[in-house]
Amino acid sequence: MSGRAAVLFLLALLYLKAVDGQSCSPQGALRLVNGAGSYEGNVQVCNQGEWGYVCGNSWSSNDAKVVCRQLGYSVSYYRYYVYRRSSYYGYGSGRIWLDYVYCSGSETSLLSCNRGYSLGTYYCNYGGLAGVYCHYGGGSCTNGALRLSNFYTSSYGRSEGRVEYCNNNVWGTVCDDYWGSPDTRVACRQLGFSTTGASYYSAYYFGYGYGSIWLDNVQCSGSESALSQCSKNCIGCHNCGHYEDVGIRCYAYNTTSCASGSVKLYSAFNHPSSEGTILYCLNGQWTAICYYSYYYGSCYIGRTVCRQMGYGGALALRTNSGFYYGYYYRNDAYYRRCYSSYTSLSQCSAYSFSSCGQYNDALGVVCAAGSSGSSCTSGSVRLTGSTSPGEGRIEYCSSGKWSPMCSLSTATASLVCKKLGYTNYTWASIYSDERYGRNGTVSSFSYLSCSSSANDLSDCTEITQGSGCFVSTGTCYREYGIKCYTPGECTDGQSRLANGTLEQEGRVEVCVNGVWGGVCRYGFYSTDAFVFCNSLGYDGPYPTYYYNGYLQFGYNTGPIVWSYLSCQGWEKDLFACSKSTYTQFSCTANNLASVTCKEACTNGDVRLVGGPFENEGTVEVCYNRLWGLVADSGWTAADSRVVCNQLGYTGGIATPVHGSKYGKPNKTIQFRDVSCVGNELNLAECSKTILYLYYGRQALAGATVAGVDCIYDVPTPPPCVAKPVLSPGSACTTGTVRLVTTTGSVSSDAGRAEYCYNGMWTPFCNMDTKVGSVICRQSGHSVYSWASVDVTGSDYVFLSNYSLFNNISCTGSETNINQCTFNDSPNDCTPNCPSSNIVVRCFEPTSVNCNEGSVRLVDGIIENEGRVEFCVNGVWGSVCTDGWDKTDAHIVCTQLGHPELEPRLFTNSYFGDGDYPIIYSNLGCGGWESNVITECKKDTYGNFTCSRDNVAGVLCGYACNDGDVRLVGGNSPNEGTIEVCFENLWGLVAEPGWTQSDAEVVCKQLGYSAQGTVSRTGSYFGKPAKTIYISGAQCTGTEQSLTECIYSTYSLQQGKDLLATTEVAGVTCPSLATTCLQNSSSMISGTCTDKAIRLSGSNSQNGEGNLQYCYQGSWTSFCSLGPNEAVIACRQLGFDSSDIVSVFDDGRYGRMLNNTQVATFNCSAGRTEPTLTACPMDETCQNCQNPVGLKCSVQVPTNTCKDNDLRLMNGGIAQEGRVEVCYNNVWGSICGDGFDKSDAYVVCRELGFGDHEPYAYTNSFFGAGSGPVIYSNLGCRGYESSIDNCAKSAYGTFSCSRGSIAGVVCQDSCSDGDVKLVGGTQTSEGTVEICFNNLWGLISDSDNSWDDNAATAVCNQLGYTSGANPKAVHDSEYGKPNKTVHVSRTSCTGNEVKLQNCTLNRIPPDEGRDLYQYVKVAGVNCYGADSVTSNTGGLSSSASTAGITVLAIILAAVVLVIIILIVVIFFQSKRNKAGRFERRIDGFGDPHTTAMGYHDSKSLADSRSVAETIPEDLYDRVPN
């Protein structure tokens, strides 16, 4: 910085400190600064001992009235006070205390007015300050002093106006009698202007004055230095009225010599030296620069001038600078064109501009005064706001002053850590949540821009605040912090879930370079989540990934190391996926990827964990692909029995275990209040309460969980008895075996197995299949020796209660039992097996009818169920339930021709054990196989042990939807036994109560005519092997489907039990061919011209109704019609403006027909056909419940909406509804086809809702709507800012049923217990909203429980504690937002710091929706709160008062500088007072202000309005 620039900066800094930094008292005092006198200026208010400005947002005449009253001026007349905005009196520096002030005009002090924000919270910068002019009745002045005054501040500048003269501390006007040019020159000279160009205006040109008229008949020679020296009447002696008040216009004109090309800024008033009219030395004379309104690059002129003068840049332009700084007489007849790189005005090109006037076309500029200091070395960096090393708020030294970072990239953060000495690991965590506090420094520095290749902060570029060629000074919207790391906390390549309540959920973290790091959610989708979860051992599909997981799982403790992952799904972990690494992206801590991993289990699966043995432990049950727990409330022996049976422990005692005896894993509570009978096949069939994930997670902490101890009947040697002492017998040869039938005969095929021991036959008490195989082989079954080994039953009696030997062990390959190992028993313990001797069955392939490799289901009651048997080696064999799962069952069902749906498993020989051997166990199908025998892994006969009580069964499902009907067993498609689909199973309708009306409804549902229907009873068409599903149907005949009728249902087992004894219903419907030919039911009577079309219904003249087509002289309806065809139809009907048409298939215009002769037309995508008849037609008899209806646009409305606007309709609360999008000024819906959570997320984000995962509906949940269906097949990825950016099918390229309209339930970005106030005029008052379940909701005020104690809790939570006197507000006084009611009753003590700490009666969101219309809601007014004492998330700042000693030093320096400035200004003015006098009356200019690169100008020549035309919104926003 040059020496001259340094001097300029020092002077500006000290001047601003003098104005902005002085201490003050009392609280609320006011003063006006930078004006020509104490009666005008920017408003400053005293708060906490420090002066601060007021923003011009909402600043009005009432506010000015209060300010002038407080300062002692008269406000009895509206012209006594004028408000000003846009820093009319110059830019400021320092504190800004007030914004959005709303005075009524009656207040006695500014701080007693209502305001939108607490003290210190503001939304403007120093270019948007409020000012006032107090005209009358207050203040003080020096006898003989002059001022220029006018009420029309929007039309006139500060160096023109009505002449006012001071006498005895009272301002009065001057009469125009005898007033002339000499008088004008003297007045301008006295005011410090040049006499050149001075002009006067008589007859109250600048408006009437007020009060006294002090001077009349003034007659100056022109050489006087003050009016008081001129000839005139005595003070107050006049014969005038205020309609004769004189006014003048003065100019500045500097005639001193100058160096060509030099520049300076001029102001006749008390503006900072960094702003003013630009003066350029041209040919040795100071000349104003002309502003050319049609040249957009004028901002570069301002920046060039500021740079040339040593300033950092331009804050704004003043494009009628004389309006603010006083008119300058000499203007250049050229305008300049500068470019961004220029540093001197002499570099700019000059262009002739003949219309540049002396007073209305000069260009002014506000330069950035700089922020230089000496508190640090430029380029250095530090971390503050934290006691932990390596983390804190970043402060960077720019121009010798510490400034916060307003933005931060990963590359910059890495270099900051490197600069701070973290050279081994330079990746950092970036925080934008201001966890390390705020600096609040006002500065033009914004942030450092560093490239990924930069090696040091010195390689980066300093970016200033502002936009375009302007800079701005202000505070950061948010100040960034970082955390640097030291490696060594983990091993590279590791992955983990962090901070989840459940072990399957949390933040995604990976170890890179020895530090745990997070993954950015940008580009993180289901495939990436799957790879990550799979690497952790969670192998289930469709993991849940979150866009705002930090709300649930907290912020990461390490850096964010990856973003934009692109996994394919086959990778073993995230390290193998494509991605962007640190410094290649920017991502903050609230954008972390988080997941809930899923597991490869099926709803209802159970397992035991934590026990010392596999048959005992904590019960885990699978639901929604997550293993979770069962709360032990009400856990009984019957519940335990079901679990043990499901796990295959069918014998012994199932003992319920309580109190989390085996431990409580960190998993969700899936079920509570389980109540089983004991014979259910699995735990999921029992009565229970299901807790969804959100509630299950909450319940985990306080619940104890259930366990079981299954006393497992492991095959063990039978109990023993003393062996009887017997003499050797002669009935048989020792070592031989035989099979004995019930009659006592010996069989080679099946019978009780007996062994000859010491010449006596004795039974087997235990035997494995290998021994059975040897016995069959020994009995002559050499081709097929796999045996069925069972215990005696009614078909084979037992021989004795004990065996004389222990057992026999075979390898299975022997041909004779004597080749096996015989194990004798000791005399005191021989096996005891009362009533259960062993039976062996042997088989021959020639006697069994089966095809090799086939599969069948046996002994089921209904179709598709039974014991699973395979034909292997020519004999049927069954499957052991060990390892039997749904994947194995799916392959079995696929092999049987039912691949469509998930099968149901049956264990524990549910369908009996059969006679055949158990040939397979531990099946291991993968799901892709087509044949169990040839393709699935398994254990085969002889290689496993399995009791006959553990034979597998299955029920295969059908590809049908709930409520579907079909006819079976008839001779034609239109007749048969009625079958109804439920839970993917076809079931029957019981005959009792079956009527003609019921039958007609079935025929209509199937598309037939009801007329001619014949009801059939007595199982007329046969009784298929299906369960009975419906009984006692009660249809009226008007229903469109059987499920719309009243009826009773049976469970699967009940229906099977009834099948044998119950007759079933059937029907004969009229055939389609007959119906179509008759025309009586398919055609609408009436003569018409073939190929004509019409709309039927009462509103057809307005383009609405069912579309009908004239076919063979009669009207018929359509079953389907595409959008392009609908447009052509509407145009044919005369609705020419129909570019988009609503097509309905929901019968809203009447259900006139059940069939139609015309299927549909097929028109071109370009819709070029003039009529439907020009399109190809399909003449096929079609059937449908509802004919096609259309809504043609009579006239496309205008300004209804803007293209791609979104809204939610027909929801119960604001966060939900049918998604509607604007297209061609028409609101329309989105088809549910392809609509998923990613699409819903983009919709919700575009509508301004939170980032929590939304709910997507595709079934017209919120109604079908009446507009067209605009889009379908949305393909949003989740990162888009609008659905306009998503892939989609547009109108005309798809068809969509009205039953498939998309809807959403959005969620808010809030945490449980958060509160906020809405609807109030101030932030400290409003309707209370509280957050639960990611939804903002309301509190009922209808039971009188809402009181001041509750209001105190709310105000405490929001930080309104200083001076607050909270009051409960009732009866929805602040409005009643369309939100659910969360809380119906409150009970607070008044000491709570949060409302959530009170006793709250919470109600579920669905109940709250219903309650909404019946209640009034609670509000709060935190009376007297003038500041927020805790971090509420808003923009706020607080004052700090300097020490008395420091202030004294500063004030002394300020006084010295002011004295110097006064001397300089005095001598400068003396040099400028030369030139000729001239009377001028010119036109009036176009005052306007330019800032931030935008221009606005208005003609104000005839304006006489109180309101200023300076744009109100300029400079009013805090720069980012």
Side-chain angles (χ1 to χ4, degrees):
M1 181 180 291
S2 67
R4 181 172 181 272
V7 171
L8 284 171
F9 167 75
L10 179 59
L11 290 173
L13 183 65
L14 289 173
Y15 170 81
L16 292 174
K17 189 64 183 177
V19 172
D20 302 316
Q22 296 175 6
S23 61
C24 61
S25 66
Q27 176 76 3
L30 297 181
R31 70 176 181 180
L32 305 180
V33 298
N34 292 350
S38 60
Y39 48 85
E40 68 171 346
N42 289 331
V43 180
Q44 286 193 331
V45 60
C46 181
N47 179 49
Q48 299 179 12
E50 187 174 357
W51 290 109
Y53 290 99
V54 179
C55 284
N57 296 319
S58 78
W59 192 249
S60 70
S61 182
N62 281 340
D63 307 317
K65 183 177 183 180
V66 173
V67 169
C68 291
R69 177 186 291 121
Q70 184 175 348
L71 289 171
Y73 291 92
S74 173
V75 293
S76 59
Y77 182 49
Y78 77 94
R79 289 191 175 186
Y80 289 178
Y81 48 89
V82 177
Y83 72 94
R84 287 166 176 167
R85 300 176 184 163
S86 304
S87 298
Y88 180 86
Y89 295 105
Y91 274 49
S93 175
R95 292 288 184 187
I96 297 177
W97 285 131
L98 288 177
D99 198 359
Y100 288 99
V101 177
Y102 301 100
C103 297
S104 66
S106 61
E107 297 87 349
T108 57
S109 69
L110 190 63
L111 287 187
S112 63
C113 297
N114 289 328
R115 52 184 180 270
Y117 299 96
S118 59
L119 284 163
T121 301
Y122 57 91
Y123 295 90
C124 74
N125 62 19
Y126 296 120
L129 303 179
V132 299
Y133 190 123
C134 301
H135 279 266
Y136 186 70
S140 61
C141 56
T142 303
N143 283 346
L146 293 185
R147 71 176 183 184
L148 299 181
S149 177
N150 67 75
F151 179 72
Y152 305 110
T153 57
S154 58
S155 302
Y156 304 115
R158 294 181 66 186
S159 63
E160 61 185 342
R162 183 178 59 251
V163 179
E164 293 190 356
Y165 183 86
C166 179
N167 180 57
N168 291 331
N169 279 329
V170 176
W171 289 105
T173 60
V174 178
C175 185
D176 62 6
D177 293 347
Y178 296 103
W179 185 273
S181 294
D183 314 308
T184 303
R185 292 195 296 271
V186 172
C188 287
R189 182 183 296 119
Q190 183 175 349
L191 289 167
F193 293 99
S194 169
T195 58
T196 303
S199 57
Y200 66 88
Y201 305 87
S202 60
Y204 69 94
Y205 185 87
F206 294 103
Y208 290 103
Y210 324 106
S212 301
I213 300 175
W214 288 134
L215 298 183
D216 190 14
N217 297 328
V218 176
Q219 297 182 58
C220 300
S221 66
S223 61
E224 298 88 348
S225 59
L227 281 187
S228 60
Q229 300 171 1
C230 299
S231 172
K232 55 189 177 297
N233 291 354
C234 63
I235 301 299
C237 302
H238 66 87
N239 60 351
C240 303
H242 281 297
Y243 59 87
E244 298 176 86
D245 290 343
V246 73
I248 64 173
R249 175 182 295 142
C250 302
Y251 294 86
Y253 187 34
N254 190 339
T255 59
T256 59
S257 61
C258 56
S260 293
S262 57
V263 293
K264 68 177 181 178
L265 301 181
Y266 161 75
S267 172
F269 305 101
N270 295 324
H271 288 95
S273 59
S274 55
E275 63 176 299
T277 297
I278 300 171
L279 298 183
Y280 175 61
C281 187
L282 180 66
N283 298 324
Q285 290 185 304
W286 289 110
T287 305
I289 298 294
C290 201
Y291 168 68
Y292 181 37
S293 62
Y294 297 101
Y295 172 47
Y296 186 76
S298 293
C299 60
Y300 291 122
I301 300 175
R303 182 161 76 170
T304 300
V305 168
C306 292
R307 285 178 173 176
Q308 185 172 348
M309 295 182 68
Y311 295 110
L315 297 175
L317 294 181
R318 299 287 205 184
T319 59
N320 175 7
S321 64
F323 186 82
Y324 301 96
Y325 307 122
Y327 297 125
Y328 192 79
Y329 182 72
R330 179 183 174 86
N331 279 9
D332 192 5
Y334 295 85
Y335 72 88
R336 298 302 193 275
R337 177 167 292 177
C338 304
Y339 293 96
S340 60
S341 61
Y342 290 179
T343 57
S344 172
L345 197 60
S346 60
Q347 297 174 273
C348 305
S349 302
Y351 296 88
S352 176
F353 185 40
S354 59
S355 61
C356 188
Q358 274 93 347
Y359 74 95
N360 63 340
D361 288 316
L363 182 64
V365 68
V366 181
C367 296
S371 56
S372 297
S374 58
S375 59
C376 56
T377 302
S378 293
S380 57
V381 68
R382 70 181 182 183
L383 301 180
T384 62
S386 172
T387 58
S388 301
E391 63 179 300
R393 180 180 67 250
I394 300 179
E395 292 188 354
Y396 176 77
C397 187
S398 175
S399 301
K401 183 179 181 181
W402 290 113
S403 297
M405 289 275 193
C406 301
S407 180
L408 188 63
S409 68
T410 52
T412 305
S414 179
L415 292 176
V416 168
C417 288
K418 183 178 180 181
K419 187 85 170 180
L420 293 171
Y422 292 88
T423 55
N424 293 329
Y425 188 93
T426 60
W427 293 2
S429 291
I430 298 174
Y431 301 110
S432 61
D433 56 2
E434 297 188 336
R435 62 182 62 192
Y436 303 114
R438 283 182 63 85
N439 177 302
T441 296
V442 177
S443 171
S444 61
F445 173 77
S446 182
Y447 64 94
L448 287 176
S449 176
C450 304
S451 68
S452 57
S453 61
N455 293 316
D456 188 81
L457 287 180
S458 60
D459 300 328
C460 306
T461 302
E462 290 190 18
I463 305 300
T464 57
Q465 298 195 47
S467 62
C469 68
F470 292 108
V471 298
S472 64
T473 57
T475 59
C476 294
Y477 179 74
R478 60 172 57 91
E479 298 181 7
Y480 281 75
I482 64 168
K483 183 178 180 181
C484 305
Y485 299 92
T486 301
E489 62 185 37
C490 57
T491 302
D492 283 9
Q494 290 180 311
S495 300
R496 71 179 182 182
L497 287 168
N499 210 40
T501 302
L502 311 179
E503 63 183 48
Q504 304 103 319
E505 66 181 7
R507 292 191 309 270
V508 176
E509 293 193 353
V510 292
C511 185
V512 179
N513 297 334
V515 174
W516 285 111
V519 175
C520 188
R521 69 174 176 86
Y522 300 143
F524 190 88
Y525 298 113
S526 56
T527 305
D528 311 309
F530 173 78
V531 170
F532 173 76
C533 292
N534 203 38
S535 71
L536 296 175
Y538 298 106
D539 52 357
Y542 308 117
T544 302
Y545 57 97
Y546 303 94
Y547 289 113
N548 53 356
Y550 75 97
L551 295 174
Q552 184 170 329
F553 306 118
Y555 292 102
N556 62 321
T557 57
I560 303 175
V561 297
W562 293 340
S563 186
Y564 302 108
L565 264 79
S566 181
C567 300
Q568 304 302 310
W570 49 261
E571 299 89 347
K572 67 175 183 177
D573 53 36
L574 294 185
F575 291 84
C577 299
S578 171
K579 53 191 167 290
S580 297
T581 58
Y582 190 88
T583 73
Q584 296 175 335
F585 62 88
S586 289
C587 187
T588 56
N590 58 347
N591 286 303
L592 290 169
S594 303
V595 299
T596 296
C597 295
K598 298 301 178 72
E599 296 166 290
C601 60
T602 304
N603 282 359
D605 287 353
V606 294
R607 67 183 182 186
L608 304 180
V609 299
F613 304 103
E614 64 179 12
N615 60 296
E616 60 180 319
T618 296
V619 177
E620 288 193 355
V621 61
C622 179
Y623 196 78
N624 288 338
R625 299 192 183 92
L626 279 179
W627 285 109
L629 308 171
V630 179
D632 62 3
S633 55
W635 186 248
T636 66
D639 309 326
S640 300
R641 178 76 274 160
V642 173
V643 171
C644 292
N645 288 348
Q646 190 174 347
L647 292 170
Y649 302 112
T650 55
I653 301 172
T655 304
V657 178
H658 301 82
S660 308
K661 176 181 177 181
Y662 299 110
K664 185 170 70 171
N666 285 331
K667 297 183 179 177
T668 185
I669 303 293
Q670 301 280 33
F671 300 158
R672 72 180 182 202
D673 303 323
V674 176
S675 179
C676 302
V677 175
N679 59 3
E680 294 87 351
L681 295 178
N682 59 63
L683 193 63
E685 294 184 5
C686 300
S687 171
K688 61 194 172 295
T689 298
I690 299 172
L691 299 180
Y692 292 99
L693 183 60
Y694 174 82
Y695 297 103
R697 185 189 292 115
Q698 285 189 325
L700 177 62
T704 53
V705 297
V708 298
D709 185 358
C710 301
I711 310 302
Y712 175 34
D713 58 340
V714 178
T716 56
C720 56
V721 297
K723 186 187 295 186
V725 179
L726 299 172
S727 301
S730 59
C732 55
T733 303
T734 298
T736 59
V737 293
R738 69 179 183 180
L739 301 176
V740 181
T741 66
T742 303
T743 61
S745 61
V746 176
S747 170
S748 62
D749 296 326
R752 182 178 65 249
E754 295 181 357
Y755 178 78
C756 186
Y757 179 85
N758 286 339
M760 295 177 289
W761 291 109
T762 185
F764 285 76
C765 274
N766 56 75
M767 179 191 298
D768 62 22
T769 55
K770 293 177 181 179
V771 175
S773 182
V774 173
I775 291 175
C776 287
R777 196 175 291 116
Q778 186 173 343
S779 299
H781 297 276
S782 57
V783 176
Y784 184 94
S785 60
W786 289 359
S788 175
V789 179
D790 203 352
V791 296
T792 54
S794 58
D795 47 351
Y796 298 101
V797 299
F798 65 97
L799 177 64
S800 70
N801 287 336
Y802 58 88
S803 176
L804 295 175
F805 66 99
N806 190 21
N807 61 31
I808 295 175
S809 302
C810 302
T811 64
S813 62
E814 298 88 348
T815 59
N816 190 289
I817 200 73
N818 288 325
Q819 298 170 350
C820 300
T821 301
F822 174 80
N823 299 306
D824 202 354
S825 59
N827 291 332
D828 60 346
C829 186
T830 194
N832 180 33
C833 47
S835 305
S836 56
N837 301 159
I838 300 298
V839 173
V840 174
R841 296 183 182 89
C842 306
F843 304 92
E844 283 295 326
T846 55
S847 63
V848 178
N849 183 20
C850 75
N851 296 318
E852 188 68 22
S854 59
V855 61
R856 70 178 183 181
L857 302 180
V858 185
D859 291 339
I861 297 175
I862 63 175
E863 285 182 355
N864 291 6
E865 73 170 2
R867 181 177 61 255
V868 179
E869 291 188 351
F870 292 97
C871 183
V872 178
N873 297 331
V875 176
W876 292 108
S878 56
V879 178
C880 184
T881 57
D882 291 347
W884 176 246
D885 61 23
K886 287 192 176 181
T887 305
D888 308 322
H890 171 68
I891 303 303
V892 169
C893 292
T894 299
Q895 205 167 335
L896 288 168
H898 300 286
E900 304 94 346
L901 296 160
E902 189 176 272
R904 303 184 189 189
L905 300 185
F906 294 90
T907 57
N908 307 322
S909 300
Y910 183 86
F911 298 107
D913 63 335
D915 292 331
Y916 293 101
I918 303 173
I919 60 173
Y920 293 148
S921 183
N922 297 310
L923 282 180
C925 300
W928 50 266
E929 302 88 348
S930 59
N931 188 291
V932 172
I933 297 176
T934 59
E935 298 180 72
C936 293
K937 295 179 180 180
K938 52 195 167 291
D939 294 335
T940 56
Y941 182 91
N943 295 315
F944 61 86
T945 298
C946 185
S947 75
R948 301 294 297 185
D949 295 328
N950 286 298
V951 174
V954 71
L955 170 58
C956 301
Y958 296 89
C960 62
N961 298 314
D962 285 0
D964 288 352
V965 295
R966 69 180 183 182
L967 305 179
V968 298
N971 295 320
S972 60
N974 60 303
E975 64 177 3
T977 297
I978 301 166
E979 292 188 353
V980 184
C981 179
F982 70 99
E983 295 181 356
N984 305 120
L985 291 176
W986 288 109
L988 306 172
V989 178
E991 176 190 297
W994 185 252
T995 66
Q996 176 70 18
S997 295
D998 306 330
E1000 290 176 356
V1001 170
V1002 169
C1003 288
K1004 284 198 293 183
Q1005 184 173 354
L1006 291 169
Y1008 299 99
S1009 172
Q1011 185 177 357
T1013 297
V1014 179
S1015 175
R1016 305 292 188 182
T1017 57
S1019 304
Y1020 186 87
F1021 297 106
K1023 185 164 56 173
K1026 304 282 189 355
T1027 185
I1028 305 289
Y1029 177 48
I1030 284 181
S1031 175
Q1034 300 177 41
C1035 301
T1036 64
T1038 60
E1039 298 86 353
Q1040 299 300 308
S1041 67
L1042 190 59
T1043 53
E1044 293 180 18
C1045 304
I1046 298 172
Y1047 58 87
S1048 301
T1049 61
Y1050 295 114
S1051 69
L1052 177 62
Q1053 188 60 51
Q1054 286 174 322
K1056 290 196 292 185
D1057 294 342
L1058 289 171
L1059 182 62
T1061 58
T1062 305
E1063 299 297 339
V1064 297
V1067 70
T1068 298
C1069 302
S1071 67
L1072 280 177
T1074 302
T1075 304
C1076 283
L1077 291 174
Q1078 284 176 344
N1079 286 338
S1080 59
S1081 63
S1082 65
M1083 298 296 187
I1084 301 171
S1085 60
T1087 303
C1088 60
T1089 303
D1090 278 2
K1091 300 184 180 180
I1093 63 172
R1094 72 176 184 182
L1095 294 175
S1096 67
S1098 60
N1099 202 30
S1100 58
Q1101 72 277 7
N1102 293 322
E1104 294 187 55
N1106 286 331
L1107 182 66
Q1108 295 175 352
Y1109 178 79
C1110 187
Y1111 184 79
Q1112 297 180 1
S1114 295
W1115 291 108
T1116 183
S1117 297
F1118 291 82
C1119 274
S1120 63
L1121 200 69
N1124 294 322
E1125 291 73 26
V1127 169
I1128 292 173
C1130 287
R1131 291 175 180 172
Q1132 184 177 344
L1133 289 167
F1135 301 103
D1136 296 332
S1137 61
S1138 297
D1139 291 325
I1140 50 176
V1141 172
S1142 301
V1143 182
F1144 304 103
D1145 59 358
D1146 53 6
R1148 65 180 61 195
Y1149 300 120
R1151 293 170 171 173
M1152 297 175 63
L1153 296 176
N1154 296 309
N1155 58 73
T1156 177
Q1157 284 294 122
V1158 182
T1160 190
F1161 287 91
N1162 297 296
C1163 302
S1164 67
R1167 310 171 192 165
T1168 57
E1169 296 86 351
T1171 64
L1172 274 183
T1173 56
C1175 306
M1177 181 181 69
D1178 182 3
E1179 296 186 67
T1180 305
C1181 186
Q1182 298 290 314
N1183 297 270
C1184 55
Q1185 296 181 26
N1186 303 314
V1188 167
L1190 299 183
K1191 182 180 181 181
C1192 303
S1193 298
V1194 177
Q1195 183 177 2
V1196 176
T1198 58
N1199 300 323
T1200 304
C1201 56
K1202 294 187 295 184
D1203 277 4
N1204 297 311
D1205 281 354
L1206 278 184
R1207 69 180 182 182
L1208 300 182
M1209 297 296 293
N1210 209 38
I1213 57 176
Q1215 298 98 327
E1216 66 182 13
R1218 179 178 61 253
V1219 182
E1220 291 197 351
V1221 60
C1222 182
Y1223 180 81
N1224 283 358
N1225 287 319
V1226 175
W1227 286 107
S1229 305
I1230 294 176
C1231 188
D1233 294 347
F1235 190 83
D1236 59 20
K1237 286 189 176 181
S1238 294
D1239 307 314
Y1241 177 77
V1242 174
V1243 167
C1244 292
R1245 184 170 58 189
E1246 185 172 355
L1247 289 170
F1249 293 107
D1251 286 338
H1252 283 286
E1253 184 174 284
Y1255 297 95
Y1257 293 90
T1258 60
N1259 58 350
S1260 300
F1261 185 83
F1262 297 104
S1266 58
V1269 184
I1270 303 296
Y1271 295 139
S1272 183
N1273 302 307
L1274 253 69
C1276 301
R1277 298 289 301 277
Y1279 58 81
E1280 298 87 349
S1281 60
S1282 167
I1283 64 168
D1284 187 41
N1285 301 325
C1286 301
K1288 53 189 169 292
S1289 298
Y1291 181 87
T1293 63
F1294 64 88
S1295 293
C1296 184
S1297 168
R1298 281 288 161 171
S1300 301
I1301 301 301
V1304 297
V1305 176
C1306 301
Q1307 300 197 64
D1308 296 309
S1309 288
C1310 58
S1311 301
D1312 280 3
D1314 287 352
V1315 295
K1316 66 179 181 179
L1317 303 180
V1318 300
T1321 59
Q1322 302 182 65
T1323 56
S1324 58
E1325 63 177 349
T1327 296
V1328 180
E1329 290 191 5
I1330 186 168
C1331 178
F1332 287 112
N1333 305 328
N1334 303 323
L1335 286 177
W1336 285 110
L1338 307 171
I1339 298 173
S1340 171
D1341 178 40
S1342 298
D1343 68 347
N1344 299 319
S1345 67
W1346 186 251
D1347 57 16
D1348 290 349
N1349 287 340
T1352 299
V1354 171
C1355 295
N1356 287 344
Q1357 184 168 350
L1358 291 173
Y1360 294 111
T1361 57
S1362 176
N1365 182 22
K1367 297 294 183 183
V1369 179
H1370 304 280
D1371 299 328
S1372 308
E1373 181 175 320
Y1374 296 112
K1376 184 174 160 186
N1378 187 20
K1379 306 281 179 69
T1380 187
V1381 179
H1382 275 324
V1383 176
S1384 63
R1385 184 174 180 82
T1386 59
S1387 178
C1388 304
T1389 64
N1391 298 319
E1392 296 86 355
V1393 296
K1394 291 185 177 182
L1395 185 62
Q1396 193 178 14
N1397 296 341
C1398 302
T1399 301
L1400 306 180
N1401 184 26
R1402 286 180 53 190
I1403 54 179
D1406 287 342
E1407 293 182 22
R1409 288 177 174 88
D1410 298 336
L1411 186 63
Y1412 173 82
Q1413 60 182 316
Y1414 304 109
V1415 301
K1416 295 180 179 179
V1417 296
V1420 158
N1421 191 325
C1422 303
Y1423 282 98
D1426 57 3
S1427 64
V1428 178
T1429 57
S1430 64
N1431 187 4
T1432 63
L1435 292 176
S1436 63
S1437 61
S1438 60
S1440 60
T1441 305
I1444 296 175
T1445 304
V1446 175
L1447 278 175
I1449 296 173
I1450 293 174
L1451 289 173
V1454 167
V1455 170
L1456 177 62
V1457 170
I1458 290 174
I1459 294 171
I1460 295 173
L1461 285 174
I1462 292 172
V1463 173
V1464 170
I1465 291 171
F1466 175 77
F1467 284 104
Q1468 182 75 22
S1469 301
K1470 294 286 286 181
R1471 287 195 298 268
N1472 288 340
K1473 292 179 181 178
R1476 54 190 298 268
F1477 301 93
E1478 181 179 355
R1479 172 174 177 168
R1480 295 174 53 91
I1481 302 179
D1482 294 331
F1484 297 99
D1486 299 332
H1488 53 283
T1489 299
T1490 302
M1492 306 298 287
Y1494 295 92
H1495 301 253
D1496 183 27
S1497 91
K1498 299 177 182 178
S1499 176
L1500 304 171
D1502 298 319
S1503 172
R1504 292 295 185 270
S1505 169
V1506 175
E1508 294 181 320
T1509 59
I1510 302 171
E1512 297 177 3
D1513 59 345
L1514 294 181
Y1515 313 50
D1516 284 354
R1517 288 170 289 178
V1518 176
N1520 292 329

